[in-house]
Every structure is written in C-alpha cells, then in structure tokens.
Amino acid sequence: MTRLSFRQKVHIAREDAIVNTVMRLLAEKGFDQMTVDEVAADVGIAKASLYKHFASKEALAAAAMVQAIGLALTQVESEQAVAGASAVDKLKAITRWTLQTQLAGAMPTLPAENSSLRNALIANRAYMDRLMTLSDELGAWIVQAQSDGAIERQLPPEAVLFTIYARACDPVLGFLKAGGRYSDGQIVEWVMATCFNGLAARA
Amino acid sequence: MTRLSFRQKVHIAREDAIVNTVMRLLAEKGFDQMTVDEVAADVGIAKASLYKHFASKEALAAAAMVQAIGLALTQVESEQAVAGASAVDKLKAITRWTLQTQLAGAMPTLPAENSSLRNALIANRAYMDRLMTLSDELGAWIVQAQSDGAIERQLPPEAVLFTIYARACDPVLGFLKAGGRYSDGQIVEWVMATCFNGLAARA
DNA sequence: GTCTATAAGAGGATAGAC
DNA sequence: GTCTATCCTCTTATAGAC
C-alpha cells in the first residue's frame, strides 16, 4: 500500500462520489435515460470536468457497474464468514440482499440483451473479471447446494445462477411497491418465496 | 360490421404492417433504442407518412403494446375453451406461451418503472382497458387455483399475477439462449420449472 | 482539473409540394 | 397520404482560457 498525497486522496474521493451518483442514477432511470449533464449537476462539477475523469458515458456506467459487483462480492465474502451456514442458506442470503438493494433504489439495472451498455461492458476487462469472480463464487455454492439436495438437481447450475442474477432487475418488486399496500420487508419475502419455492403450493 | 372501401382496407393493412414492425423492433431493441427512422425504413414508407398514421413515437409504441395485449387475450380465450383444464393448467399454459413468444423475439418489453413509455401507456385508455381485462381474466384463474390448493395460498393474487407478467421480460431466457447450448424448448421448460416449482428441490 | 462556451450529430417532428 | 427537405431540441463530447 503506497502512501497517497492529499491531492491524490481528493482525486479518488471525487471519483468515488461520481461513481456513487452514477450508480444511483442508473438504478433510478437506466442507462439511456441518464444524461451526463445530470450526473455532473448531481456531483456538483462541470460536465467537462467529468470527462477528465471518465472518457465517455459508457466508461462512467462501466465504473458504476464494477462498483456494484464489488459490493456484491463484499456481501459474498461476509456470507462466507458465517459459520454453520449451508450453501443454500448463503444463496438465499445473497438473493435477499440483492432484492433489498434493488428495492432501496441502489441496484443499477443489469444490461439486457438489447442494452446499449452491453457491448461496452463486455469489452471492459475489470467488469468481466469481477463478474466472473462473482459467478465462480456463486457457482460453487450452487453446485454444493445441488449436491446437498437443497437445490433442484435437474436444473443446470447456470440456469440457477442466471435466475438469481435476474432478481437484481425483477420488476415484481417495483410493481408491488407501486401499490403502496405492503412493506418492503413483506415484498422481499414474497419474492424470495416465489424464487425458491415457486408459485405452486408445496405438498 | 360495416363494409369497408378498398381504400380503407389498404389503410388498415398499412397500419397493421406498421404496428407489427413496431412490435418486433420493441422486442428487439426496446423503446429508447428504437428510432422512428428505423420503423419507417422497415415498413418502407417515409417518416412523414408514418406521422400521418400515428401522432408520436409514444403513440406508435402504445399501438404495438395494445396489439401485444390483444394477442395475449386471444391466447387466454383459446385456453378458456380447453375442456378439463384446471385453473393452474391454464396459468401454466399462458406462462409458457409468454416465454415462447419472448424467446421468438415477438414480445415487446414490458415498461419498467423507469421506462419513458410508462407514462404514455398509463395515459392510454385502450391500453389500460385491455390490460385490466387481461388482469381480471388471469386474476380469476389465480384465485381459483389458490382455492384448488394448486397455487400457494400465502401469496397475494397480485404477487402471482405480477410474477407471471414478469416472465414477458425475464432475462434468463436470453442469457440461456446466448450460451447456445440449449434448445428453445429446453430453456422454456427450465424457466417454467423455476417459476412454478422454485429453485429449491421439492421433497 | 475546473470552468464557460460550443461543436457535432442524432433523432423526433413538421412544412409544403404533389 | 406520400414524398423530400428541413427544423429544432436534446445530448454527447471537446476547445481553450484560467
């Protein structure tokens, strides 16, 4: 760990502020509807200054997505540390965290097939590396949980992985919240139940 | 049924062609990334002519969404007609149809909270009317299936409804298809299984 | 690195002839 | 109703002074 000058610290702090703003705006409006002007205004600097930190709108969003995956990885680490938790317990915990984060408006939307972000992200080494790290960690839990008989063995592990990833952009949360009749906690538990137990009644 | 002049028939046929193109492009790229120029080029008429038929890009998309719900309603009717099908059978059938349609690239993406389409659609009487009709029909099936003990009774019917609606934009289909290793039919069955049976193994 | 000002271009919508 | 040509706004990105 090299020592940083005061100037460098300020620089990093500013970039963190930018990335956090972008993460929130991405969650709120999505990539297409988020404008660079808006980001600059929110951070409180001129747009041209933003472009000194990040080369393009895509780079801005990629940095936010890298940060988002970083948060997920931190969450994974903290669940690894829980003693006595089974693999499926950990999968449920990370899924619940994902739902809570999305409901709190802090989860930048995953890039769908058609997203303009998608190509930029696929070309981004840092993003892809972290995404693969995350997938490997979750993949190990999934295989373990299937071997435990806790997760359906018929499903290919990647189908399970994608299903959990998809919770990050599940519109059901927003639909239920829009009704205004249920607490966030209640909504999360219902979506957790449909995800792991399914819509059909268990015998 | 009033008789239509040849001219009127041509007019309607053209609007149908436009709506079908928009439905496909909406499914492919989403509202923001679909351009009016593109729609016009695809239909084979000038952009200005397009605006003689529809007042705005939003109106264009709304017409496509109305059409999409119309297709779903047609599907619902045809399932109503199946003798001996239980309520949950019908729910599964409409869900499977939704997944197949999305996988075939013919399902315009549902408007998320943040979509620019959302406000236009909420203000669109035809769309809201049809959406409510569809919701009523599916809602009746859901209540029946819960009373049959086939769908989990703990879940509020609207949570079940939204979960089924959300299959229209489930990214898991695209993720699995992108891998290229599975047939469409296989993918649909896995998503059906996770939707109705959940990720957890059934005892 | 920050700012103001502006270039460059995409895309929604319209004018006006036919 | 269809076309060509154009308008105009919004947005990304950069020039150039400090």
Side-chain angles (χ1 to χ4, degrees), chain B residues 132-165:
Chain B
M132 264 184 270
T133 302
L134 181 59
S135 297
D136 286 346
E137 304 243 26
L138 296 182
W141 290 353
I142 290 168
V143 170
Q144 179 63 50
Q146 284 182 314
S147 133
D148 293 345
I151 291 284
E152 184 55 56
R153 286 196 178 89
Q154 314 289 350
L155 295 169
E158 57 183 319
V160 178
L161 179 68
F162 294 156
T163 300
I164 291 176
Y165 276 167

Side-chain angles (χ1 to χ4, degrees), chain A residues 92-197:
Chain A
K92 286 183 180 174
I94 196 76
T95 303
R96 183 174 281 109
W97 172 82
T98 302
L99 295 174
Q100 288 165 340
T101 304
Q102 198 220 134
L103 211 40
M107 181 65 80
T109 314
L110 271 194
E113 298 301 300
N114 55 18
S115 166
S116 23
L117 243 188
R118 201 181 135 82
N119 292 331
L121 287 176
I122 287 178
N124 186 302
R125 176 75 68 96
Y127 174 80
M128 290 304 287
D129 277 357
R130 282 180 184 235
L131 181 58
M132 264 184 268
T133 302
L134 181 60
S135 297
D136 286 345
E137 304 242 26
L138 297 182
W141 290 353
I142 290 167
V143 170
Q144 179 63 50
Q146 284 182 314
S147 134
D148 292 344
I151 291 285
E152 183 56 55
R153 284 196 178 88
Q154 313 289 351
L155 296 169
E158 57 183 319
V160 178
L161 179 68
F162 295 156
T163 300
I164 291 176
Y165 277 167
R167 284 330 101 209
C169 58
D170 192 337
V172 174
L173 293 168
F175 289 155
L176 285 173
K177 194 179 176 79
R181 283 200 296 279
Y182 311 116
S183 71
D184 283 11
Q186 181 64 78
I187 293 171
V188 167
E189 291 316 311
W190 282 330
V191 174
M192 283 293 294
T194 54
C195 182
F196 284 90
N197 298 330

Side-chain angles (χ1 to χ4, degrees), chain A residues 34-37 47-48 51 56-57:
Chain A
M34 177 187 82
T35 69
V36 177
D37 291 83
K47 184 163 52 168
Y51 277 97
S56 66
K57 184 184 176 183

Side-chain angles (χ1 to χ4, degrees), chain B:
Chain B
M1 203 59 159
T2 54
R3 280 196 59 151
L4 300 177
S5 70
F6 177 73
R7 184 173 295 249
Q8 284 172 317
K9 285 182 192 165
V10 169
H11 184 87
I12 290 176
R14 172 139 295 174
E15 295 208 337
D16 276 355
I18 295 172
V19 167
N20 285 330
T21 290
V22 172
M23 218 174 9
R24 187 171 43 74
L25 288 176
L26 276 183
E28 260 176 44
K29 335 182 56 169
F31 181 73
D32 289 327
Q33 285 193 261
M34 177 188 81
T35 69
V36 177
D37 291 82
E38 193 175 17
V39 174
D42 194 293
V43 175
I45 62 178
K47 183 161 57 165
S49 304
L50 209 51
Y51 277 97
K52 297 284 182 182
H53 291 276
F54 297 93
S56 65
K57 184 184 177 184
E58 280 75 17
L60 214 46
M65 295 303 294
V66 167
Q67 173 84 345
I69 295 188
L71 292 179
L73 279 170
T74 301
Q75 193 63 25
V76 165
E77 299 303 316
S78 93
E79 276 151 25
Q80 286 288 26
V82 175
S86 68
V88 72
D89 287 340
K90 293 177 193 165
L91 288 174
K92 284 183 181 175
I94 195 77
T95 303
R96 183 174 282 110
W97 172 83
T98 301
L99 295 174
Q100 287 165 341
T101 304
Q102 199 220 133
L103 211 39
M107 181 65 79
T109 314
L110 271 192
E113 298 300 301
N114 54 19
S115 167
S116 22
L117 242 189
R118 201 181 136 82
N119 291 331
L121 287 175
I122 287 178
N124 186 302
R125 177 75 68 96
Y127 174 80
M128 290 304 287
D129 276 357
R130 282 182 182 234
L131 181 58
M132 264 184 270
T133 302
L134 181 59
S135 297
D136 286 346
E137 304 243 26
L138 296 182
W141 290 353
I142 290 168
V143 170
Q144 179 63 50
Q146 284 182 314
S147 133
D148 293 345
I151 291 284
E152 184 55 56
R153 286 196 178 89
Q154 314 289 350
L155 295 169
E158 57 183 319
V160 178
L161 179 68
F162 294 156
T163 300
I164 291 176
Y165 276 167
R167 284 331 98 210
C169 59
D170 192 337
V172 173
L173 294 167
F175 289 155
L176 285 173
K177 193 179 177 80
R181 283 200 294 281
Y182 311 115
S183 71
D184 284 10
Q186 181 64 80
I187 291 171
V188 166
E189 291 316 310
W190 282 329
V191 174
M192 284 293 294
T194 55
C195 181
F196 283 91
N197 297 331
L199 293 176
R202 295 245 162 184

